[in-house]
Amino acid sequence: MSDGTFEPKIVGFLCNWCSYRAADLAGSSRVKYPPNVRIIRVMCSGRVDPTFALKAFELGADGVLLAGCHPGECHYLEQNYKAMRRFSMLKHTLRAMKLEEERFQLLWASAAEGNRFAEHVAKMTEEVRKLGPLSWRRNWIEKGLDDKEIEKFLKEHEEAMEVPAR
Amino acid sequence: MKEKVGVYVCHCGSNIAGIVDVEEVAKWAGVNLEDVVVSKDYKFMCSSLGQELIEEDIKKDGLTRIVVAACSPHLHEKTFRRAAETAGMNPYLTQMANIREHISWTTKDKKAATEKVKAMVAAAVERVKVQEPLEPKFVDVNPNTLVIGGGIAGIQASLELADAGYHVYLVEREPSIGGHMAQFDKTFPTLDCSACILTPKMSDVGLHENITLMTWAELEELSGSVGNFKAKIRKRAKYVDEVLCTGCGICIEKCPRKVVDNVFEAGLGVRKAIYVPFAQAVPKYPVIDTETCIYFDTGKCKACEKFCPTDAIVWDQKDEIIEVDVGNVIIATGWDLFDCKRIPQYGYGRIANVFTNLEFERMCNAAGPTAGKIFMRDGVTEPKSIGIVHCVGSRDKNYNEYCSAVCCMAALKFGHLVMEKTEAEVYSFYIDMRPNQKGYEEFYQRLLDEGMNFVRGKVADISDVPRLPGEEGKIVVQVQDTLLGKQRRIPLDVVVLMGAMEPRFDAKDLGLKVGISCSMAGWFTERHPKLDPVATMTDGIFIAGACQGPKDIPAAVAQGAAAAARVQGMIAKGKVMIEPIVATIREESCSGCRICNNLCPYNAIEYLAEKEVSRVLHELCKGCGTCVAACPAQAITGAHFSNEQIFAELKGILYDAMGETERAAEPAVK
């Protein structure tokens, strides 16, 4: 940032068994990719709580990458399917909050796919670079999604937000 | 109490220090990161001197947490945990920042790499401060072992373990053990008779008091974890009572239904509906294949029963589910042959005299359908010329990129056998000749001397349409001869396609059942491609033989023995450590909504109806954390991956982005 060029900061949540090992493989095969992704290891993509992504954006990430094993190859049998569903739901919410699609991405990369991981990071970095920095709250206001808008959004989804009585 | 964190940045020789300014990072961490009391860089952290450095600092400076910025935790997390433990610290109060695989090896820009390392170190420091001491759990290792697959790798593994005095359950899908090796005539490069070296081993398995052999059986379900697995095995009904049957074979002789044997005879020969796959089968008892049996089809026949001298045919036999307890599992399920029909221009399935390598094996085999005589498809005409095409479905981006490893040698073997048994001229169409094991190159030289014709070039087309004089009634191989530098059309009587070795069609399903993964090509993935080739990422599950990748017999045998040695090591230890990374539900916060209950693939969450709360059964939990992420009340904590720890890591990893956020929080807009 100091020299005026924008270097996006992307937080990558990688599962221990496939994607983290894909990133390891990219390293041991000396595949070069942009240094913009910073990796957090979780045991499974299913561990990624939607709040992790929200928190990352709040703390200043310009993009969040969620990566897990290919469907059908999960070390925990099927938990990446759950990650996939959560990804879709969070994506829906983020869309409503006017966050650009490219900032939140999902990647399946097996332990053998170092290249795939590196290519995806390179692609995502460029996409986010084009969008410019994400300044979460400023963007809301600039795009007219101020507090009133949020209240409107909540009202629209009132039914879904309700916790059913047991 | 404030934590005292020690930060250690590894040079890894020049692997890290060549790109990352490690001294700068260490200095920076010591000054800028809160609670860091010691921050050092060192040439090789994983060396014994590096570990001693950490141990001394823990004792001298009273460090309470350790961060090591080095290579992947998959390589050295255990090393540094052990060092911390030696110095009297809880091993789970250490954290690694992966700055080699994820940074120095993938980044060209030195400045950017150093900046990224700082973020990763900051993340590790923030995280380690909120990590909690955990107690590893130890469980007894059941000395029994399950071996899946009775080919040569599985046989070797079973015998090694059984001879060492441990019990083995060997599960084989086919009616007999032996696998692909039993189909072969000769083995390269020594040309010993495959059956002569295999069958003694097979009968050893059949007779061994420490081996429970289950053929015509498959793994249905595997539960539990290292040391204590529970396996459910489906023993399919054979309709033959193994106690009464003497293996005399009269039933097979009298069975009126002949069917093409696509498994053992590779489609080249026939078997009966009640059958043993081959004469030396172990066990020797036949099975009834219900899909082709006349009685199962029409309700009439029962010839086998009528002629059986010991009344061993049992029509009402049912599939049996057998449960066994084992401490370890060895998977040796082998390979399938590439379907040569997938390359239509090679004519397999359309041109009669194009054979696959397995068909040709059976034809060469003295116990095979032609009694070892090499004929054309009509079964009487001896061919005058034979072409052998290498790399069919392997080393080809359209099918499989990998090299099947054995085909060059098998092709040379075929060449030798053809020239020994017939007057035919033999052509080998190869891309590269790869005879790279002991005695292989010498065998190649021998075939050159024996007069096999070698044509280097990828075969473009195999056709039975004559274009030039001399091609009538022949199969024409169209190939670019890259040594002569010209296109050639070579008319031949018989063509043998060296089909690729492929992963078993259901390898993925088995992988899911036991919790191990496959590579993109479909082979089971080993723990480390060089240093741990028979272990998998799942403790207690080992792989051996061609299920891990194409292999010749010596390599499969070596892996079978290696896997058995690893299992013996586990049994000798007696106890095995289980990572305490599990989920826990805080009862007081649980609303009993039961969202988590169905998320767990291991049924590790039970609902306590009387208390209206859920509970995690730690012995079943594998620690994936999916339930933790799902709990709407945050009543579930995932040990070592708690929300608090991840948030701390996030705070650190974005330490240099926070300023921007704050600035953005007070926008100059409006």
Side-chain angles (χ1 to χ4, degrees), chain B residues 623-662:
Chain B
C624 69
T626 307
C627 60
V628 187
C631 179
Q634 297 192 6
I636 316 183
T637 356
H640 214 56
F641 289 91
S642 69
N643 281 2
E644 193 194 6
Q645 286 158 4
I646 306 269
F647 285 149
E649 203 170 349
L650 269 171
K651 199 179 124 199
I653 224 168
L654 292 165
Y655 83 98
D656 54 342
M658 301 257 273
E660 289 160 38
T661 324
E662 278 154 24

mmCIF file of all heavy atoms in Angstrom, chain B residues 623-662:
data_model
loop_
_atom_site.group_PDB
_atom_site.id
_atom_site.type_symbol
_atom_site.label_atom_id
_atom_site.label_comp_id
_atom_site.label_asym_id
_atom_site.label_seq_id
_atom_site.Cartn_x
_atom_site.Cartn_y
_atom_site.Cartn_z
ATOM 1 N N GLY B 623 -13.197 -35.135 15.325
ATOM 2 C CA GLY B 623 -12.679 -33.773 15.437
ATOM 3 C C GLY B 623 -12.790 -32.901 14.212
ATOM 4 O O GLY B 623 -12.021 -31.953 14.073
ATOM 5 N N CYS B 624 -13.736 -33.166 13.314
ATOM 6 C CA CYS B 624 -13.826 -32.347 12.103
ATOM 7 C C CYS B 624 -14.331 -30.941 12.425
ATOM 8 O O CYS B 624 -13.963 -29.984 11.770
ATOM 9 C CB CYS B 624 -14.739 -33.001 11.060
ATOM 10 S SG CYS B 624 -16.483 -33.034 11.496
ATOM 11 N N GLY B 625 -15.193 -30.830 13.435
ATOM 12 C CA GLY B 625 -15.648 -29.509 13.853
ATOM 13 C C GLY B 625 -16.878 -28.986 13.144
ATOM 14 O O GLY B 625 -17.268 -27.837 13.345
ATOM 15 N N THR B 626 -17.511 -29.814 12.324
ATOM 16 C CA THR B 626 -18.686 -29.351 11.595
ATOM 17 C C THR B 626 -19.832 -28.988 12.548
ATOM 18 O O THR B 626 -20.548 -28.017 12.332
ATOM 19 C CB THR B 626 -19.144 -30.423 10.593
ATOM 20 O OG1 THR B 626 -18.020 -30.768 9.802
ATOM 21 C CG2 THR B 626 -20.245 -29.920 9.694
ATOM 22 N N CYS B 627 -19.951 -29.753 13.625
ATOM 23 C CA CYS B 627 -21.014 -29.466 14.596
ATOM 24 C C CYS B 627 -20.733 -28.155 15.325
ATOM 25 O O CYS B 627 -21.641 -27.407 15.666
ATOM 26 C CB CYS B 627 -21.156 -30.615 15.584
ATOM 27 S SG CYS B 627 -19.659 -30.964 16.532
ATOM 28 N N VAL B 628 -19.427 -27.896 15.544
ATOM 29 C CA VAL B 628 -19.053 -26.669 16.259
ATOM 30 C C VAL B 628 -19.529 -25.456 15.462
ATOM 31 O O VAL B 628 -20.084 -24.505 16.012
ATOM 32 C CB VAL B 628 -17.515 -26.601 16.450
ATOM 33 C CG1 VAL B 628 -17.155 -25.415 17.327
ATOM 34 C CG2 VAL B 628 -16.980 -27.884 17.050
ATOM 35 N N ALA B 629 -19.298 -25.533 14.139
ATOM 36 C CA ALA B 629 -19.681 -24.412 13.287
ATOM 37 C C ALA B 629 -21.194 -24.274 13.184
ATOM 38 O O ALA B 629 -21.704 -23.207 12.896
ATOM 39 C CB ALA B 629 -19.079 -24.590 11.901
ATOM 40 N N ALA B 630 -21.912 -25.361 13.431
ATOM 41 C CA ALA B 630 -23.360 -25.346 13.200
ATOM 42 C C ALA B 630 -24.163 -24.918 14.416
ATOM 43 O O ALA B 630 -25.312 -24.513 14.292
ATOM 44 C CB ALA B 630 -23.812 -26.728 12.750
ATOM 45 N N CYS B 631 -23.582 -25.024 15.598
ATOM 46 C CA CYS B 631 -24.373 -24.798 16.813
ATOM 47 C C CYS B 631 -24.821 -23.341 16.900
ATOM 48 O O CYS B 631 -24.000 -22.429 16.955
ATOM 49 C CB CYS B 631 -23.559 -25.165 18.046
ATOM 50 S SG CYS B 631 -24.474 -24.878 19.564
ATOM 51 N N PRO B 632 -26.138 -23.103 16.899
ATOM 52 C CA PRO B 632 -26.620 -21.723 16.924
ATOM 53 C C PRO B 632 -26.377 -21.051 18.275
ATOM 54 O O PRO B 632 -26.390 -19.824 18.365
ATOM 55 C CB PRO B 632 -28.112 -21.855 16.634
ATOM 56 C CG PRO B 632 -28.467 -23.245 17.016
ATOM 57 C CD PRO B 632 -27.229 -24.080 16.850
ATOM 58 N N ALA B 633 -26.140 -21.842 19.307
ATOM 59 C CA ALA B 633 -25.949 -21.259 20.637
ATOM 60 C C ALA B 633 -24.475 -21.218 21.021
ATOM 61 O O ALA B 633 -24.135 -20.843 22.128
ATOM 62 C CB ALA B 633 -26.733 -22.078 21.664
ATOM 63 N N GLN B 634 -23.608 -21.637 20.091
ATOM 64 C CA GLN B 634 -22.181 -21.765 20.375
ATOM 65 C C GLN B 634 -21.931 -22.573 21.645
ATOM 66 O O GLN B 634 -21.085 -22.229 22.473
ATOM 67 C CB GLN B 634 -21.523 -20.391 20.475
ATOM 68 C CG GLN B 634 -21.613 -19.658 19.155
ATOM 69 C CD GLN B 634 -20.733 -18.427 19.093
ATOM 70 O OE1 GLN B 634 -19.965 -18.141 19.980
ATOM 71 N NE2 GLN B 634 -20.842 -17.697 18.006
ATOM 72 N N ALA B 635 -22.712 -23.615 21.792
ATOM 73 C CA ALA B 635 -22.578 -24.462 22.977
ATOM 74 C C ALA B 635 -21.521 -25.533 22.765
ATOM 75 O O ALA B 635 -21.147 -26.229 23.692
ATOM 76 C CB ALA B 635 -23.914 -25.108 23.312
ATOM 77 N N ILE B 636 -21.047 -25.658 21.511
ATOM 78 C CA ILE B 636 -20.043 -26.692 21.227
ATOM 79 C C ILE B 636 -18.679 -26.038 21.030
ATOM 80 O O ILE B 636 -18.573 -25.038 20.316
ATOM 81 C CB ILE B 636 -20.406 -27.509 19.962
ATOM 82 C CG1 ILE B 636 -21.896 -27.880 19.960
ATOM 83 C CG2 ILE B 636 -19.545 -28.749 19.859
ATOM 84 C CD1 ILE B 636 -22.318 -28.737 18.792
ATOM 85 N N THR B 637 -17.685 -26.600 21.678
ATOM 86 C CA THR B 637 -16.316 -26.124 21.443
ATOM 87 C C THR B 637 -15.551 -27.221 20.739
ATOM 88 O O THR B 637 -15.710 -28.401 21.064
ATOM 89 C CB THR B 637 -15.534 -25.881 22.756
ATOM 90 O OG1 THR B 637 -16.384 -26.108 23.853
ATOM 91 C CG2 THR B 637 -14.918 -24.508 22.776
ATOM 92 N N GLY B 638 -14.701 -26.833 19.811
ATOM 93 C CA GLY B 638 -13.824 -27.786 19.156
ATOM 94 C C GLY B 638 -12.450 -27.616 19.752
ATOM 95 O O GLY B 638 -11.854 -26.552 19.656
ATOM 96 N N ALA B 639 -11.948 -28.663 20.407
ATOM 97 C CA ALA B 639 -10.644 -28.550 21.043
ATOM 98 C C ALA B 639 -9.592 -28.221 19.990
ATOM 99 O O ALA B 639 -9.579 -28.805 18.912
ATOM 100 C CB ALA B 639 -10.290 -29.843 21.753
ATOM 101 N N HIS B 640 -8.720 -27.306 20.284
ATOM 102 C CA HIS B 640 -7.600 -26.872 19.449
ATOM 103 C C HIS B 640 -8.048 -26.089 18.203
ATOM 104 O O HIS B 640 -7.216 -25.595 17.461
ATOM 105 C CB HIS B 640 -6.731 -28.067 19.022
ATOM 106 C CG HIS B 640 -5.289 -27.705 18.923
ATOM 107 N ND1 HIS B 640 -4.587 -27.159 19.973
ATOM 108 C CD2 HIS B 640 -4.406 -27.770 17.895
ATOM 109 C CE1 HIS B 640 -3.346 -26.934 19.596
ATOM 110 N NE2 HIS B 640 -3.196 -27.280 18.341
ATOM 111 N N PHE B 641 -9.336 -26.011 17.959
ATOM 112 C CA PHE B 641 -9.839 -25.189 16.859
ATOM 113 C C PHE B 641 -11.088 -24.447 17.322
ATOM 114 O O PHE B 641 -12.124 -24.494 16.683
ATOM 115 C CB PHE B 641 -10.131 -26.044 15.620
ATOM 116 C CG PHE B 641 -8.872 -26.540 14.952
ATOM 117 C CD1 PHE B 641 -8.313 -27.757 15.309
ATOM 118 C CD2 PHE B 641 -8.231 -25.771 13.993
ATOM 119 C CE1 PHE B 641 -7.138 -28.200 14.718
ATOM 120 C CE2 PHE B 641 -7.060 -26.208 13.399
ATOM 121 C CZ PHE B 641 -6.514 -27.424 13.759
ATOM 122 N N SER B 642 -10.978 -23.802 18.460
ATOM 123 C CA SER B 642 -12.146 -23.103 19.013
ATOM 124 C C SER B 642 -12.335 -21.780 18.265
ATOM 125 O O SER B 642 -11.426 -21.287 17.606
ATOM 126 C CB SER B 642 -11.933 -22.829 20.491
ATOM 127 O OG SER B 642 -10.917 -21.868 20.658
ATOM 128 N N ASN B 643 -13.523 -21.228 18.393
ATOM 129 C CA ASN B 643 -13.789 -19.928 17.772
ATOM 130 C C ASN B 643 -12.778 -18.896 18.243
ATOM 131 O O ASN B 643 -12.241 -18.125 17.463
ATOM 132 C CB ASN B 643 -15.198 -19.443 18.149
ATOM 133 C CG ASN B 643 -16.258 -20.133 17.318
ATOM 134 O OD1 ASN B 643 -15.944 -20.991 16.502
ATOM 135 N ND2 ASN B 643 -17.510 -19.754 17.528
ATOM 136 N N GLU B 644 -12.527 -18.919 19.544
ATOM 137 C CA GLU B 644 -11.606 -17.954 20.125
ATOM 138 C C GLU B 644 -10.232 -18.046 19.454
ATOM 139 O O GLU B 644 -9.612 -17.047 19.108
ATOM 140 C CB GLU B 644 -11.484 -18.231 21.630
ATOM 141 C CG GLU B 644 -10.817 -17.128 22.403
ATOM 142 C CD GLU B 644 -10.396 -17.569 23.803
ATOM 143 O OE1 GLU B 644 -10.530 -18.770 24.121
ATOM 144 O OE2 GLU B 644 -9.894 -16.716 24.551
ATOM 145 N N GLN B 645 -9.787 -19.290 19.256
ATOM 146 C CA GLN B 645 -8.468 -19.484 18.663
ATOM 147 C C GLN B 645 -8.431 -19.028 17.204
ATOM 148 O O GLN B 645 -7.479 -18.398 16.770
ATOM 149 C CB GLN B 645 -8.053 -20.961 18.786
ATOM 150 C CG GLN B 645 -7.667 -21.330 20.214
ATOM 151 C CD GLN B 645 -7.758 -22.823 20.494
ATOM 152 O OE1 GLN B 645 -8.045 -23.619 19.606
ATOM 153 N NE2 GLN B 645 -7.547 -23.184 21.742
ATOM 154 N N ILE B 646 -9.494 -19.328 16.469
ATOM 155 C CA ILE B 646 -9.517 -18.918 15.062
ATOM 156 C C ILE B 646 -9.616 -17.395 14.953
ATOM 157 O O ILE B 646 -8.943 -16.772 14.131
ATOM 158 C CB ILE B 646 -10.699 -19.576 14.310
ATOM 159 C CG1 ILE B 646 -10.662 -21.093 14.487
ATOM 160 C CG2 ILE B 646 -10.721 -19.152 12.841
ATOM 161 C CD1 ILE B 646 -9.921 -21.884 13.482
ATOM 162 N N PHE B 647 -10.434 -16.791 15.798
ATOM 163 C CA PHE B 647 -10.554 -15.334 15.764
ATOM 164 C C PHE B 647 -9.223 -14.678 16.112
ATOM 165 O O PHE B 647 -8.827 -13.678 15.510
ATOM 166 C CB PHE B 647 -11.654 -14.849 16.716
ATOM 167 C CG PHE B 647 -13.043 -15.108 16.190
ATOM 168 C CD1 PHE B 647 -14.102 -15.345 17.054
ATOM 169 C CD2 PHE B 647 -13.293 -15.099 14.821
ATOM 170 C CE1 PHE B 647 -15.387 -15.595 16.569
ATOM 171 C CE2 PHE B 647 -14.571 -15.343 14.322
ATOM 172 C CZ PHE B 647 -15.617 -15.597 15.206
ATOM 173 N N ALA B 648 -8.516 -15.262 17.090
ATOM 174 C CA ALA B 648 -7.205 -14.727 17.458
ATOM 175 C C ALA B 648 -6.253 -14.820 16.270
ATOM 176 O O ALA B 648 -5.511 -13.878 15.964
ATOM 177 C CB ALA B 648 -6.650 -15.491 18.656
ATOM 178 N N GLU B 649 -6.324 -15.967 15.593
ATOM 179 C CA GLU B 649 -5.456 -16.177 14.431
ATOM 180 C C GLU B 649 -5.777 -15.131 13.353
ATOM 181 O O GLU B 649 -4.884 -14.580 12.717
ATOM 182 C CB GLU B 649 -5.683 -17.605 13.916
ATOM 183 C CG GLU B 649 -4.529 -18.148 13.113
ATOM 184 C CD GLU B 649 -4.672 -19.639 12.811
ATOM 185 O OE1 GLU B 649 -5.553 -20.297 13.392
ATOM 186 O OE2 GLU B 649 -3.885 -20.131 11.989
ATOM 187 N N LEU B 650 -7.083 -14.887 13.166
ATOM 188 C CA LEU B 650 -7.518 -13.894 12.173
ATOM 189 C C LEU B 650 -7.002 -12.505 12.520
ATOM 190 O O LEU B 650 -6.538 -11.775 11.649
ATOM 191 C CB LEU B 650 -9.044 -13.856 12.123
ATOM 192 C CG LEU B 650 -9.729 -14.777 11.125
ATOM 193 C CD1 LEU B 650 -11.230 -14.762 11.358
ATOM 194 C CD2 LEU B 650 -9.415 -14.351 9.695
ATOM 195 N N LYS B 651 -7.073 -12.189 13.795
ATOM 196 C CA LYS B 651 -6.618 -10.869 14.246
ATOM 197 C C LYS B 651 -5.136 -10.711 13.899
ATOM 198 O O LYS B 651 -4.709 -9.665 13.408
ATOM 199 C CB LYS B 651 -6.830 -10.767 15.761
ATOM 200 C CG LYS B 651 -6.846 -9.356 16.284
ATOM 201 C CD LYS B 651 -7.086 -9.376 17.794
ATOM 202 C CE LYS B 651 -5.957 -8.626 18.490
ATOM 203 N NZ LYS B 651 -5.847 -8.959 19.906
ATOM 204 N N GLY B 652 -4.371 -11.757 14.144
ATOM 205 C CA GLY B 652 -2.943 -11.705 13.850
ATOM 206 C C GLY B 652 -2.656 -11.672 12.362
ATOM 207 O O GLY B 652 -1.851 -10.864 11.886
ATOM 208 N N ILE B 653 -3.358 -12.505 11.642
ATOM 209 C CA ILE B 653 -3.066 -12.649 10.212
ATOM 210 C C ILE B 653 -3.376 -11.366 9.453
ATOM 211 O O ILE B 653 -2.805 -11.071 8.414
ATOM 212 C CB ILE B 653 -3.841 -13.875 9.651
ATOM 213 C CG1 ILE B 653 -2.937 -14.695 8.747
ATOM 214 C CG2 ILE B 653 -5.079 -13.481 8.889
ATOM 215 C CD1 ILE B 653 -3.518 -16.051 8.395
ATOM 216 N N LEU B 654 -4.294 -10.564 10.007
ATOM 217 C CA LEU B 654 -4.676 -9.300 9.363
ATOM 218 C C LEU B 654 -4.175 -8.112 10.186
ATOM 219 O O LEU B 654 -4.753 -7.033 10.141
ATOM 220 C CB LEU B 654 -6.187 -9.249 9.186
ATOM 221 C CG LEU B 654 -6.748 -10.245 8.164
ATOM 222 C CD1 LEU B 654 -8.248 -10.394 8.315
ATOM 223 C CD2 LEU B 654 -6.410 -9.826 6.744
ATOM 224 N N TYR B 655 -3.074 -8.338 10.926
ATOM 225 C CA TYR B 655 -2.590 -7.280 11.828
ATOM 226 C C TYR B 655 -2.318 -5.979 11.074
ATOM 227 O O TYR B 655 -2.491 -4.896 11.590
ATOM 228 C CB TYR B 655 -1.319 -7.751 12.554
ATOM 229 C CG TYR B 655 -0.068 -7.565 11.730
ATOM 230 C CD1 TYR B 655 0.753 -6.454 11.917
ATOM 231 C CD2 TYR B 655 0.285 -8.485 10.734
ATOM 232 C CE1 TYR B 655 1.882 -6.260 11.135
ATOM 233 C CE2 TYR B 655 1.395 -8.296 9.959
ATOM 234 C CZ TYR B 655 2.203 -7.175 10.155
ATOM 235 O OH TYR B 655 3.307 -6.979 9.378
ATOM 236 N N ASP B 656 -1.892 -6.116 9.800
ATOM 237 C CA ASP B 656 -1.534 -4.926 9.032
ATOM 238 C C ASP B 656 -2.712 -4.349 8.259
ATOM 239 O O ASP B 656 -2.572 -3.381 7.532
ATOM 240 C CB ASP B 656 -0.381 -5.252 8.077
ATOM 241 C CG ASP B 656 -0.691 -6.457 7.192
ATOM 242 O OD1 ASP B 656 -1.620 -7.224 7.541
ATOM 243 O OD2 ASP B 656 -0.014 -6.639 6.176
ATOM 244 N N ALA B 657 -3.888 -4.960 8.410
ATOM 245 C CA ALA B 657 -5.066 -4.454 7.693
ATOM 246 C C ALA B 657 -5.982 -3.682 8.619
ATOM 247 O O ALA B 657 -6.862 -2.968 8.181
ATOM 248 C CB ALA B 657 -5.830 -5.610 7.055
ATOM 249 N N MET B 658 -5.761 -3.848 9.926
ATOM 250 C CA MET B 658 -6.691 -3.281 10.897
ATOM 251 C C MET B 658 -6.814 -1.777 10.763
ATOM 252 O O MET B 658 -7.906 -1.230 10.836
ATOM 253 C CB MET B 658 -6.215 -3.620 12.306
ATOM 254 C CG MET B 658 -6.106 -5.103 12.524
ATOM 255 S SD MET B 658 -7.480 -5.697 13.459
ATOM 256 C CE MET B 658 -6.854 -5.410 15.094
ATOM 257 N N GLY B 659 -5.662 -1.103 10.563
ATOM 258 C CA GLY B 659 -5.673 0.356 10.459
ATOM 259 C C GLY B 659 -6.650 0.827 9.405
ATOM 260 O O GLY B 659 -7.441 1.733 9.646
ATOM 261 N N GLU B 660 -6.628 0.153 8.278
ATOM 262 C CA GLU B 660 -7.516 0.547 7.181
ATOM 263 C C GLU B 660 -8.975 0.431 7.590
ATOM 264 O O GLU B 660 -9.801 1.263 7.272
ATOM 265 C CB GLU B 660 -7.273 -0.344 5.969
ATOM 266 C CG GLU B 660 -5.939 -0.066 5.299
ATOM 267 C CD GLU B 660 -5.505 -1.230 4.440
ATOM 268 O OE1 GLU B 660 -6.384 -1.827 3.812
ATOM 269 O OE2 GLU B 660 -4.308 -1.540 4.431
ATOM 270 N N THR B 661 -9.271 -0.636 8.329
ATOM 271 C CA THR B 661 -10.655 -0.830 8.740
ATOM 272 C C THR B 661 -11.113 0.311 9.637
ATOM 273 O O THR B 661 -12.207 0.839 9.499
ATOM 274 C CB THR B 661 -10.801 -2.145 9.529
ATOM 275 O OG1 THR B 661 -9.941 -3.080 8.969
ATOM 276 C CG2 THR B 661 -12.218 -2.618 9.540
ATOM 277 N N GLU B 662 -10.213 0.618 10.564
ATOM 278 C CA GLU B 662 -10.589 1.687 11.489
ATOM 279 C C GLU B 662 -10.801 3.000 10.742
ATOM 280 O O GLU B 662 -11.751 3.711 11.001
ATOM 281 C CB GLU B 662 -9.518 1.833 12.575
ATOM 282 C CG GLU B 662 -9.706 0.806 13.679
ATOM 283 C CD GLU B 662 -8.417 0.477 14.389
ATOM 284 O OE1 GLU B 662 -7.488 1.314 14.374
ATOM 285 O OE2 GLU B 662 -8.328 -0.626 14.931
#
